Amino acid sequence: MNRILVTGGAGFIGSHLCERLLAHGHDVLCVDNFYTGNKQNIEGLLDSRNFELLRHDITFPLYVEVDEIYNLACPAAPVHYQFDPVQTTKTSVHGAINMLGLAKRLRARILQASTSEVYGDPEVHPQPEEYWGRVNPIGVRSCYDEGKRCAETLFFDYRRQHRLSIKVARIFNTYGPRMHVNDGRVVSNFIVQALRNEPITLYGDGSQSRSFCYVDDLVAGLERLMATPDDVTGPLNLGNAAEITVRQLADNVITLTGSRSRIEHRPLPEDDPKQRRPDLARAKAALDWAPSTPLEEGLKKTITYFDALLASGQSFPDLSRRTTLR
Ligand code: NAD
Ligand code: UDP
């Protein structure tokens, strides 16, 4: 049994990871400032004696005692990371420095939740880890993309300079239960719009592609990566290689929900990547892992989750219209 810190543990992926680590017998310390996460995501874990929750912003130093650190804290949806871009960069960069400093003091193993966004709007397709990417350094997505790229640099420099045991996962679009209702990401947006019979907001002509990974597959990959020997550092792509256009996704969601929604075109956001698909060869070889949930099955589970949530009648803050920062 390990003592494991999960930063961003009250978020979408973090809450699933905390759940999985607890189920595998570990002690879990969840650290979150509730910027985009919420207590509801982890309420089922609060009664476990092996689970502890700490409200904390990782841009400030943290002094705790753990054996492993999963650094997931960072808003992941474009609407949210662009809302307070300076805080986004601080979370990625200062947050990484603080968590790496903690790992160095404890000699703890540390995993970074990096992203396919380090490849930017890629000219190489699918994206292998050797590809250095095509990122706009001064655009509206840069706070996230460059923040995550700098965090990767810090991880590898802490390894070279301080012999730290690091793991870097480049996560591709992940979806599933506990995404925020007003999260702004495509899967949650389309499902919520379809269930409410509201227009489906398709940005651009919908020909841009993504490859969607169900959250259970992703957290299984993260756990496997953490368990690899010290010489396996990554970066490793984690995701699902089944690629689909955003237009096809809209059609699938409408069919699976039986919705009366119609598609409404909206302008394509600035620097929106045209295509994205992980090359998973390295991950498969290093982890003996592959995603197993087909898109239709994962979408059905996600639809069931949002259906129950919307039926509960609770109100949801519109995170994209916040007037306060946190
Ligand atoms: P999320 O927004 O649901 O979760 C992020 C969590 O981090 C939230 O609970 C938020 O409150 C917390 N947080 C943000 N800033 C913080 C800070 N300064 N201090 C403490 N906590 C803070 O997003 P997610 O989809 O669960 O993403 C988790 C991680 O995975 C992120 O690092 C993200 O960049 C990465 N990632 C996610 C995807 C995806 O498709 N979901 C893809 C690539 C990378
Ligand atoms: N998108 C869309 N409608 C929405 C939300 C997103 O058409 O309501 C598109 C978006 O322009 C992008 C893709 O869906 O091309 C994925 O967007 P998301 O914000 O989920 O993640 P990204 O991969 O861009 O970070």
Side-chain angles (χ1 to χ4, degrees):
M1 169 170 144
N2 281 324
R3 296 165 304 169
I4 303 179
L5 166 62
V6 179
T7 77
F12 158 53
I13 296 177
S15 62
H16 286 273
L17 180 63
C18 288
E19 201 174 340
R20 186 178 179 94
L21 295 172
L22 281 174
H24 290 174
H26 300 294
D27 241 354
V28 175
L29 171 60
C30 166
V31 162
D32 206 295
N33 68 351
F34 302 115
Y35 185 62
T36 49
N38 58 70
K39 287 186 189 155
Q40 215 174 323
N41 284 342
I42 43 158
E43 69 183 356
L45 310 180
L46 292 171
D47 284 341
S48 165
R49 63 166 65 171
N50 295 330
F51 184 76
E52 202 177 342
L53 172 64
L54 178 65
R55 180 192 284 257
H56 174 80
D57 181 331
I58 64 156
T59 62
F60 297 97
L62 177 67
Y63 296 92
V64 293
E65 310 302 316
V66 292
D67 309 302
E68 290 179 353
I69 303 169
Y70 287 86
N71 187 35
L72 270 65
C74 186
V79 174
H80 304 314
Y81 68 65
Q82 289 170 25
F83 176 75
D84 184 356
V86 174
Q87 172 68 10
T88 300
T89 302
K90 280 186 184 169
T91 293
S92 279
V93 178
H94 294 188
I97 291 171
N98 288 327
M99 292 308 108
L100 286 161
L102 177 64
K104 183 181 157 214
R105 175 174 70 79
L106 300 171
R107 301 315 298 172
R109 184 170 275 199
I110 181 165
L111 181 149
Q112 168 69 356
S114 191
T115 168
S116 52
E117 283 283 317
V118 301
Y119 302 121
D121 190 3
E123 302 124 315
V124 174
H125 193 73
Q127 293 80 53
E129 289 85 348
E130 302 79 47
Y131 178 50
W132 289 354
R134 189 166 76 112
V135 173
N136 176 355
I138 58 167
V140 293
R141 295 176 87 102
S142 314
C143 58
Y144 184 73
D145 300 8
E146 297 289 20
K148 290 284 190 180
R149 286 169 67 98
C150 184
E152 287 200 9
T153 307
L154 285 161
F155 268 68
F156 279 86
D157 281 335
Y158 266 76
R159 172 162 180 88
R160 282 183 285 258
Q161 206 172 325
H162 301 298
R163 312 308 312 155
L164 222 59
S165 179
I166 63 152
K167 313 280 173 192
V168 174
R170 289 184 179 155
I171 302 172
F172 283 63
N173 293 66
T174 299
Y175 70 99
R178 301 199 199 122
M179 294 181 90
H180 200 284
V181 172
N182 293 324
D183 170 281
R185 284 184 274 194
V186 69
V187 174
S188 43
N189 262 15
F190 285 1
I191 291 178
V192 170
Q193 290 161 348
L195 289 171
R196 288 175 170 159
N197 292 306
E198 290 172 355
I200 303 279
T201 54
L202 186 64
Y203 302 162
D205 63 5
S207 64
Q208 68 273 31
S209 70
R210 296 290 186 273
S211 309
F212 296 100
C213 182
Y214 189 64
V215 64
D216 288 354
D217 290 334
L218 192 271
V219 294
L222 291 177
E223 198 187 22
R224 284 215 181 188
L225 175 56
M226 185 63 108
T228 50
D230 277 352
D231 62 335
V232 181
T233 58
L236 280 191
N237 290 338
L238 291 183
N240 189 317
E243 186 179 358
I244 168 177
T245 67
V246 174
R247 170 72 209 216
Q248 284 171 321
L249 178 72
D251 292 338
N252 286 1
V253 169
I254 290 173
T255 307
L256 291 172
T257 50
S259 174
R260 296 191 303 280
S261 294
R262 307 182 79 107
I263 286 175
E264 211 171 86
H265 288 271
R266 300 274 171 87
L268 192 65
E270 204 177 304
D271 291 339
D272 199 282
K274 182 79 192 124
Q275 54 184 358
R276 188 183 285 155
R277 171 154 57 104
D279 179 331
L280 294 175
R282 264 207 207 179
K284 282 179 180 155
L287 310 181
D288 188 24
W289 163 93
S292 62
T293 313
L295 183 62
E296 186 171 324
E297 186 186 323
L299 285 177
K300 282 182 183 163
K301 289 181 181 170
T302 313
I303 290 166
T304 303
Y305 166 80
F306 279 115
D307 203 17
L309 194 68
L310 297 180
S312 72
Q314 57 181 297
S315 60
F316 306 100
D318 184 348
L319 297 180
S320 64
R321 294 205 168 79
R322 280 176 294 195
T323 50
T324 55
L325 296 186
R326 276 180 289 286

